[in-house]
Amino acid sequence: MLDLVAAIYDAALDAAHWPDVLNRIGDAVGGPEVIFGVYDPATGLSNLLAPRIDPVLVNRLLDWAPRNPLLPLGIGQAPGKVFTVGNFITQDQFTSTDFYQEWWHPAGYDVEPLTTNLLVDDSATGIFTSHGSLKRQPFGADQKRLFATLAQHLVRAVALQRRVYHLTFASESALAGFDRLQHGFLLVDAEARPLFTNRIAQDLLDADDGLRLEGGILSASDADCGRLLRKLVSSCPALAGIGAGGELTLRRKTGGSPLGVLVTPVPPETALVALPWTVSRRPVAIVLITDPETEMQARLDGLQQRFGLTPAEAAFALEIIKGDGRQAAADRLGITVGTARTHLSSIFDKTGSKRQAELVRLLLQK
């Protein structure tokens, strides 16, 4: 169990490990054929893995995506929550569908797979499913509990991968690349003492507005949040159970948008490669801090630089990405529909787009 959890976080830092890790998860929970998919156009991360499933079947599954009756049923489930077909429709309802008759049954799968969403965030999606065979016993209670435990780690690992997948831990000098992140990034030891801090994280610490150091230990402006943050870090060396790492929100003294914090374990092998020690302590956790205000400004600046948009046009473009139409975007920005129409026309001209769907795809690309 400990080795498998450590391997999950290794895969988050080196995607080449995912196929082996996914197979190990499938074997552990009793559903050896697994499907792992993550799509995040905003960062360019796209990954679909089904190591033991016939590629022809995978391609047919992708063809079925617009007509797959299961996809809309699970889309609103919280990341990490385990669900299966029977949570939404009866077995008779499912087995009578064309999807079951033409793809599912020929593939030889049981009607109650174990599934969890890995992320549901604007246009980004991620899902993990473990399939049992019709020839095997249904998933037992112990297997379901193990899947639920591993699902929590998969969610945190994918959240980590989304932010750092294009960087590397290959050497100590490579850590300088983490200054390119638009998120705060820290490596901390078991006592929550920072061993490496990127530029964004250092700026947040210097501002002492939500995140701070107390006696060299990572903490928060709010005492309760500080204790919870240190508790999450201290859970990481064990790499066991659902309790290793986690997420929290840090309130800011100035009343600004709260900081989002993700704490994930660092496997020992990765730690030794990352910092081959000039210091006596080793990192046990990665702490990622998201500042919504900084992130939003970076996205606005990026759109202005890429397409020559005005600040107002860039702000409208970000609202259009949400996909609920021009009127809703105008309402959120407090502008008239006429102004929205003018902005959209100018954005079309500057980006060379002809249709709104085409524009959204373009804006989501990096």
Side-chain angles (χ1 to χ4, degrees):
M1 171 67 174
L2 299 184
D3 288 345
L4 183 52
V5 173
I8 288 172
Y9 291 104
D10 270 336
L13 301 173
D14 184 351
H17 294 304
W18 274 125
D20 178 64
V21 170
L22 296 175
N23 285 339
R24 290 176 61 188
I25 293 173
D27 290 340
V29 302
E33 296 194 10
V34 300
I35 296 177
F36 172 96
V38 176
Y39 176 62
D40 183 9
T43 64
L45 176 61
S46 181
N47 208 358
L48 177 64
L49 297 172
R52 289 173 172 160
I53 299 179
D54 186 335
V56 174
L57 274 178
V58 175
N59 288 332
R60 288 184 59 202
L61 178 61
L62 294 175
D63 291 340
W64 267 100
R67 297 168 291 142
N68 183 342
L70 301 181
L71 289 181
L73 298 177
I75 196 66
Q77 300 300 304
K81 180 180 179 181
V82 181
F83 56 91
T84 190
V85 176
N87 293 123
F88 309 107
I89 56 177
T90 67
Q91 181 173 324
D92 288 343
Q93 288 174 318
F94 179 49
T95 57
S96 66
T97 65
D98 291 340
F99 175 63
Y100 176 83
Q101 296 292 335
E102 296 181 28
W103 188 85
W104 195 282
H105 188 264
Y109 295 142
D110 179 71
V111 295
E112 293 293 332
L114 297 177
T115 300
T116 187
N117 286 329
L118 300 173
L119 64 98
V120 180
D121 179 13
D122 293 331
S123 62
T125 58
I127 194 167
F128 177 69
T129 298
S130 177
H131 285 285
S133 168
L134 285 170
K135 300 177 182 178
R136 298 168 66 99
Q137 290 292 322
F139 290 106
D142 289 343
Q143 294 169 320
K144 292 178 180 179
R145 280 193 292 270
L146 177 58
F147 185 91
T149 296
L150 296 176
Q152 302 299 319
H153 292 292
L154 284 169
V155 168
R156 293 170 195 158
V158 167
L160 173 63
Q161 185 180 25
R162 289 180 71 194
R163 292 164 173 83
V164 304
Y165 81 99
H166 57 293
L167 300 174
T168 177
F169 279 76
S171 67
E172 184 174 4
S173 61
L175 288 173
F178 286 85
D179 276 338
R180 300 197 300 271
L181 289 176
Q182 295 300 322
H183 308 274
F185 176 95
L186 301 96
L187 289 172
V188 300
D189 68 10
E191 297 179 348
R193 296 180 184 275
L195 305 178
F196 173 82
T197 305
N198 77 344
R199 175 181 53 82
I200 295 288
Q202 190 59 56
D203 289 345
L204 290 169
L205 289 170
D206 292 343
D208 189 16
D209 185 21
L211 192 72
R212 61 184 303 185
L213 291 178
E214 294 180 359
I217 295 174
L218 192 63
S219 189
S221 302
D222 178 87
D224 289 338
C225 289
R227 282 190 288 270
L228 178 56
L229 175 57
R230 292 190 294 274
K231 181 179 179 181
L232 293 179
V233 170
S234 67
S235 74
C236 288
L239 280 172
I242 293 179
E247 298 179 68
L248 74 156
T249 299
L250 301 183
R251 295 185 290 272
R252 306 177 88 155
K253 295 187 294 186
T254 58
S257 299
L259 300 175
V261 178
L262 171 69
V263 180
T264 64
V266 178
E269 295 80 3
T270 301
L272 291 173
V273 171
L275 294 174
W277 289 114
T278 56
V279 297
S280 59
R281 303 185 305 273
R282 84 166 176 86
V284 301
I286 292 170
V287 181
L288 281 168
I289 305 105
T290 301
D291 180 354
E293 296 175 359
T294 300
E295 196 172 63
M296 177 62 72
Q297 189 58 54
R299 295 179 71 186
L300 289 169
D301 292 344
L303 289 176
Q304 291 178 63
Q305 292 170 9
R306 284 174 64 198
F307 302 113
L309 304 182
T310 67
E313 291 167 352
F316 184 74
L318 286 183
E319 294 300 326
I320 282 292
I321 289 174
K322 296 177 181 178
D324 52 1
R326 184 172 54 194
Q327 179 68 63
D331 292 342
R332 285 192 293 269
L333 292 172
I335 60 177
T336 67
V337 175
T339 300
R341 187 181 300 111
T342 299
H343 286 334
L344 188 58
S345 177
S346 179
I347 294 168
F348 277 144
D349 289 342
K350 292 180 179 180
T351 61
S353 303
K354 303 298 183 184
R355 299 184 305 276
Q356 194 161 309
E358 178 188 359
L359 173 64
V360 170
R361 286 195 297 272
L362 179 63
L363 294 175
L364 285 171
Q365 295 172 358
K366 278 213 165 184

